[in-house]
Structure formats: structure tokens, C-alpha cells
Amino acid sequence: MRKLITANFHRFSKDRFSWCVVGIIVILSLVNVFNSARSYEAMADAGYILSLEDYYFNQAPLIGAFLALLISMFLGTEFSEGTIRNKLCIGHKRNEIFLSNFISCAFASIVLTAVWLLSCTLLFGLIGPLEVEVSEFVGYIFVAMGFTVSFAALYTVIASLSSNKAMTIIYTFAVFIILAMAASALDDRLCEPEMNEIMTYNNYGAVVMQESAPNPLYLSGMIRTVCEVALELLPTGQALLLSDVAIEYPVRAIALNVVFTTVTLLVGSMLFRRKDIK
């Protein structure tokens, strides 16, 4: 399997498209730094002071989309060019091929995330200091690395089960969009307030009565706990929460990343072993 991983690393290093994705990430990060600095100054002039972490991770949801493009393009050639069939012919086992592809894509995902985070370090000289503890900020970074590995596992499974490069790209982006919509829907429901403020106005637009009423959309009890865990279990959910600096327990988020990645790889490995490779 070491030879397979080495060969994949060599392909990544020579792949122009991969370098283009890295370049786009750097450009977008620099644009984000510039826009964040301007936004910080405008908010400060208006009397609203935001901290560095409020800007640092706001591109997190985009990482899943770029990884979908990178991994689907990279692994999509495995079937279209007959690479998997050649690997099987020279004696490599299916599990070795599957795991080597995942390890390679996970490493590429971590590198891409590191490029994004390093590009955003320019914010340290433009925006005020961190409000969170350094240990918590480091935890956020590990969460970012964790959900990118989860994305890599998911996209590796999709690419391993699709025999057509174009369809691999479509399937990967479709899954990303579905998970992003699911994460957004869960986050919206969890953000519903427990009580609604009802105001009554007179003919002159002045408030004459204000009262609170229970919000029927508010989730409580076990349902709320299940939705919170489901949101953090999804890599798109973690990316969304990280962009809002709303991850309360980084250790729990990382543990859920491990669960998601492990289950995804186990299911994907079983399906890949049964796939008919022509």
C-alpha cells in the first residue's frame, strides 16, 4: 500500500489542476483578509467591535466545495483511465487501493486546509487580538482539519463507487449540496428562540403592548440534543458552526469527526469490495 500512496502523492504533485485549486484558495483567502479588514474598520467606526476569530474561519463552508472538486477530479480518472483495473492486475487488493486513495486525499485535504488557515494569518496584523483562549483557538484549527478529513472520506467513497468521471463530479457536488442544506436547516431550527416577543402598535406606530409567547418551532429536550449531535456529526454542519465560531466543545466535535470518518470508510470499503470493476 505504501507504493500506492507514494504514487498518488506523485500524481498530486504533478497535477496542474490541484495546484490551480491551491492557488484559488490562496487568492480567495487574501481577498477575505482584505474584506475582513475593511469590515472590521467599518464596524469599529460604528461602535461594534468584533474579535479576530469572528473573521478568521468565515470561509470554512467553502472548503467542502473545493475538496469536492479536487477529489472528484483526482479520483475520477481511476476508472475512466483504467487505473484501478491495472492496480488489481498487478496484485494490489481492493482494500489497499481504497485506503491508499483515502489516505492520499485526506493528506491533500489537510494541506489545502493548512494553506487556507496560513493565508488567513495575515489577519493577525490587521484585526484586534483573539477573545478566546489560545487553546480553544487551536482546538478550532483541529476541528477544521477533522471535518476536512471527513469530507475526504465521503468523497473517496463516492469516487470509488462511480465508474464515470463526469458523474463522479456531479454525485460529489450533489452530496455536498444536500449535506449543506441539511446542516443549514438544522442550524436554523436550533437557532429558534424559546419565546417570541409579540408587540402591539397603535395608529401612530408606537408600541402599546409587549408580551412573550412560546415559540412552536423551538426544539427542546431529547429532540434538541439529537439535532445538535446530528449537526456536529455532519462535516458541513461543523464547517457552518466553525464559520460562526459556535463550536462549544472542540473535543466532542473532533470525536464526532472520527465517528463519521470511520463509519463512512467501513461502509464504503464494503461497497467497494462488491463493486463490479470491468
Side-chain angles (χ1 to χ4, degrees), residues 20-269:
C20 287
V21 173
V22 172
I24 293 173
I25 287 290
V26 172
I27 293 173
L28 289 179
S29 298
L30 295 178
V31 171
N32 177 60
V33 168
F34 176 74
N35 290 336
S36 296
R38 292 183 59 186
S39 175
Y40 175 78
E41 293 177 358
M43 295 292 286
D45 292 339
Y48 299 96
I49 304 298
L50 298 178
S51 58
L52 174 62
E53 62 270 15
D54 292 319
Y55 295 97
Y56 196 89
F57 298 103
N58 57 9
Q59 283 185 301
L62 290 177
I63 295 299
F66 281 104
L67 290 177
L69 183 61
L70 177 66
I71 294 175
S72 61
M73 288 290 291
F74 180 78
L75 294 182
T77 60
E78 292 281 290
F79 283 102
S80 61
E81 296 181 1
T83 306
I84 285 185
R85 184 173 62 252
N86 294 336
K87 291 177 180 179
L88 292 173
C89 289
I90 61 177
H92 292 294
K93 298 180 180 179
R94 293 199 180 201
N95 282 341
E96 293 177 344
I97 297 172
F98 181 80
L99 287 178
S100 65
N101 285 342
F102 163 68
I103 292 172
S104 304
C105 291
F107 180 80
S109 301
I110 291 174
V111 170
L112 196 67
T113 305
V115 169
W116 159 52
L117 294 175
L118 288 173
S119 299
C120 291
T121 54
L122 294 174
L123 287 169
F124 279 93
L126 300 173
I127 296 179
L130 292 169
E131 288 189 359
V132 299
E133 298 291 335
V134 175
S135 59
E136 189 173 358
F137 184 78
V138 173
Y140 291 156
I141 292 176
F142 277 104
V143 170
M145 297 294 181
F147 72 67
T148 56
V149 173
S150 295
F151 275 126
L154 180 62
Y155 298 156
T156 300
V157 171
I158 296 172
S160 298
L161 300 178
S162 175
S163 302
N164 183 280
K165 183 177 180 179
M167 295 307 299
T168 298
I169 298 172
I170 294 174
Y171 293 150
T172 304
F173 270 98
V175 169
F176 169 74
I177 292 172
I178 291 171
L179 293 184
M181 293 174 62
S184 180
L186 286 171
D187 186 57
D188 287 344
R189 286 302 304 272
L190 290 171
C191 289
E192 287 285 344
E194 185 174 0
M195 305 294 290
N196 283 331
E197 296 293 331
I198 301 176
M199 298 182 181
T200 304
Y201 300 86
N202 60 19
N203 294 333
Y204 300 98
V207 178
V208 296
M209 183 181 298
Q210 180 176 348
E211 58 182 349
S212 297
N215 183 1
L217 296 179
Y218 178 77
L219 300 177
S220 60
M222 182 60 67
I223 296 178
R224 186 173 188 84
T225 301
V226 170
C227 289
E228 288 175 343
V229 173
L231 181 61
E232 286 196 22
L233 183 63
L234 296 175
T236 49
Q238 289 197 13
L240 182 62
L241 291 173
L242 184 61
S243 67
D244 294 331
V245 198
I247 293 182
E248 298 182 9
Y249 307 104
V251 174
R252 183 179 70 180
I254 295 171
L256 289 174
N257 281 328
V258 174
V259 172
F260 181 91
T261 302
T262 302
V263 172
T264 301
L265 290 177
L266 288 175
V267 174
S269 178

Side-chain angles (χ1 to χ4, degrees), residues 9-17 19:
F9 285 165
H10 181 73
R11 281 182 58 203
F12 267 122
S13 65
K14 298 295 183 181
D15 186 23
R16 294 181 180 178
F17 183 79
W19 286 107

